[in-house]
Amino acid sequence: MTSGELQIKVSNHVQVADYHRGETFGPRQLPSHELVWLLRGSAEMTTEMLGSDGRPLRRETHRLEPGTVALLRRGEWDRYVWATDRVSRHAYVHFQLLDPGHLGPPDTWATCHTVAGIPVLEGLCHYLTELAGLQDAHSQQRGAELVRLLLDLLITGPWPADPDHHPVVALVCRHVA
């Protein structure tokens, strides 16, 4: 059986929230999938998927900073400990996965993705955050389209090779040095 096209339903506009130094959030069980990205500050995020017997199937801890996007799955438990030295701000959006299409099963997706230095991903996150302040139907539709695109790009890429390892770039760097 082949999958259809990637289909999601965005539950709400992108939201932005601030957390004071050392605050915590969770644990909570996610009723939907969620994308989270830091705008400033940092957090330690722990996610856990439990089996039907209540035992952990998978547990991960990640440090979130600006330039990372976390992709959390429906049914996971998440918990955040926010930076102790400054206020942290993050953006997030919830969505239902109607058909994963070519992305494959959600349990195969990586939880954290680096978007720093990848202009298209940084731009998508920035634009989604800008749309958060707009409440009209057009911005909500555009936001849903962009969330779908961001999800697809995070999971499937493709990503350019690391320019530091490209032979021409390495040659130019040696010459300049």
Side-chain angles (χ1 to χ4, degrees):
M1 180 177 151
T2 58
S3 291
E5 182 180 333
L6 168 61
Q7 295 178 30
I8 65 170
K9 180 180 179 192
V10 175
S11 304
N12 59 344
H13 280 292
V14 170
Q15 305 290 309
V16 176
D18 292 319
Y19 283 90
H20 296 285
R21 295 180 217 180
E23 276 192 288
T24 62
F25 177 80
R28 62 147 179 195
Q29 187 174 26
L30 287 159
S32 60
H33 296 280
E34 181 182 27
L35 288 169
V36 176
W37 60 98
L38 272 281
L39 302 172
R40 72 168 175 252
S42 64
E44 182 176 281
M45 176 189 74
T46 303
T47 61
E48 189 170 55
M49 183 60 85
L50 302 178
S52 57
D53 60 0
R55 286 195 246 172
L57 297 174
R58 177 179 39 82
R59 182 186 176 120
E60 299 177 4
T61 299
H62 298 275
R63 181 164 175 82
L64 301 181
E65 295 178 334
T68 58
V69 175
L71 170 55
L72 299 115
R73 298 153 194 88
R74 183 176 60 83
E76 278 185 324
W77 290 84
D78 66 344
R79 182 174 192 277
Y80 298 84
V81 178
W82 299 95
T84 57
D85 61 339
R86 63 188 168 271
V87 172
S88 295
R89 171 172 278 183
H90 76 290
Y92 62 95
V93 63
H94 290 268
F95 62 93
Q96 299 296 328
L97 183 65
L98 305 176
D99 187 337
H102 64 281
L103 300 185
D107 62 349
T108 64
W109 301 348
T111 301
C112 279
H113 305 267
T114 299
V115 300
I118 305 172
V120 69
L121 294 182
E122 289 178 318
L124 285 173
C125 291
H126 179 75
Y127 187 47
L128 281 166
T129 305
E130 292 294 318
L131 289 176
L134 306 175
Q135 299 300 314
D136 60 277
H138 181 68
S139 65
Q140 188 168 7
Q141 178 186 353
R142 180 65 74 209
E145 293 166 355
L146 293 174
V147 168
R148 181 183 174 281
L149 177 60
L150 180 60
L151 176 64
D152 190 349
L153 289 171
L154 288 172
I155 303 301
T156 65
W159 302 113
D162 183 350
D164 292 336
H165 298 302
H166 191 283
V168 173
V169 173
L171 179 65
V172 169
C173 289
R174 280 194 303 273
H175 177 72
V176 170

